[in-house]
Amino acid sequence: AQSVTQLGSHVSVSEGALVLLRCNYSSSVPPYLFWYVQYPNQGLQLLLKYTSAATLVKGINGFEAEFKKSETSFHLTKPSAHMSDAAEYFCAVSPISGNTPLVFGKGTRLSVIA
Amino acid sequence: DSGVTQTPKHLITATGQRVTLRCSPRSGDLSVYWYQQSLDQGLQFLIQYYNGEERAKGNILERFSAQQFPDLHSELNLSSLELGDSALYFCASSVEQGTEQYFGPGTRLTVT
């Protein structure tokens, strides 16, 4: 069965600093991987997705993530944090065979300090 | 705007009551998913429908039920409500199972 582990339930960075949110997956077959963002009192919004094309995936709002099969990781990064990036971030996985719903991680709350 | 709509936005009701939450998926999406999000439990997958048929079940209580209608909209029915059912309920839709899901804005349920 697939699973996703997000390391760190809460990450705090200074404005302008690098954002790194960690996600490791376990899947018996190469998966599809997703990052979602949730702003307060809103639904989840798709940030980016990996579907076995390029291993470095660019998303919205300056975020990107790199698929590393050897490390079973799909970490989310942004070179320079902005106050508006403060939100909850969820990593999700689905096998390419695709007969199960996405499996979501527990989420990481990102705080940005001025 | 994801294209997924949910009604109502807010719902306040008393313990023991029954409510129905409604979801309309994005145009062309056949799969609908329901999630519950609370502070203590996080985001919990409840149930999935694909083109009118139940496809997957998660942590859904027996007091809860759902269906997807021929026009592809879905309803989540919550009965014998308890204080612990207070949460945000999200609907999401996708073209196929396993592809990216698009989330609605949610329904905030408060049980008093």
Side-chain angles (χ1 to χ4, degrees):
Chain A
Q2 322 146 71
S3 66
V4 167
T5 302
Q6 290 186 241
L7 297 173
S9 60
H10 186 205
V11 170
S12 188
V13 301
S14 298
E15 193 174 18
L18 171 72
V19 175
L20 171 61
L21 304 182
R22 299 177 189 273
C23 172
N24 288 89
Y25 68 90
S26 76
S27 176
S28 55
V29 296
Y32 288 159
L33 291 156
F34 308 85
W35 275 100
Y36 284 83
V37 60
Q38 184 181 26
Y39 299 103
N41 297 312
Q42 294 186 28
L44 278 70
Q45 179 184 359
L46 182 66
L47 262 182
L48 50 79
K49 62 180 180 182
Y50 166 76
T51 55
S52 75
T55 56
L56 182 62
V57 182
K58 294 190 184 300
I60 62 172
N61 301 338
F63 283 93
E64 62 183 35
E66 186 172 9
F67 173 71
K68 290 187 177 180
K69 186 178 177 182
S70 60
E71 299 177 7
T72 60
S73 70
F74 190 57
H75 302 331
L76 182 71
T77 60
K78 181 174 180 178
S80 177
H82 193 273
M83 298 296 289
S84 61
D85 294 326
E88 186 101 18
Y89 292 80
F90 294 89
C91 182
V93 64
S94 173
I96 292 177
S97 59
N99 213 24
T100 57
L102 302 188
V103 175
F104 284 85
K106 293 186 183 301
T108 297
R109 180 164 300 278
L110 175 67
S111 297
V112 181
I113 304 166
Chain B
D1 184 358
S2 66
V4 178
T5 60
Q6 288 187 249
T7 56
K9 276 192 170 180
H10 303 277
L11 200 48
I12 301 174
T13 189
T15 54
Q17 295 298 304
R18 173 189 169 95
V19 297
T20 297
L21 312 184
R22 183 189 168 104
C23 167
S24 292
R26 291 189 324 155
S27 177
D29 285 358
L30 299 178
S31 267
V32 169
Y33 309 79
W34 286 98
Y35 293 87
Q36 180 194 59
Q37 187 178 42
S38 61
L39 281 175
D40 51 345
Q41 297 287 333
L43 187 67
Q44 300 276 321
F45 167 66
L46 296 178
I47 197 164
Q48 179 211 353
Y49 280 82
Y50 179 83
N51 203 19
E53 293 187 4
E54 183 184 305
R55 273 294 176 91
K57 234 174 183 176
N59 300 322
I60 188 165
L61 300 173
E62 285 192 12
R63 302 183 284 108
F64 295 2
S65 64
Q67 54 183 324
Q68 186 180 27
F69 295 87
D71 67 352
L72 300 178
H73 91 271
S74 178
E75 293 180 356
L76 178 68
N77 299 297
L78 315 176
S79 61
S80 303
L81 285 167
E82 302 175 359
L83 295 178
D85 297 327
S86 296
L88 265 169
Y89 290 84
F90 288 108
C91 168
S93 71
S94 68
V95 171
E96 298 173 353
Q97 192 166 359
T99 59
E100 62 268 28
Q101 297 176 17
Y102 293 88
F103 281 74
T107 293
R108 182 173 292 281
L109 174 67
T110 302
V111 182
T112 62

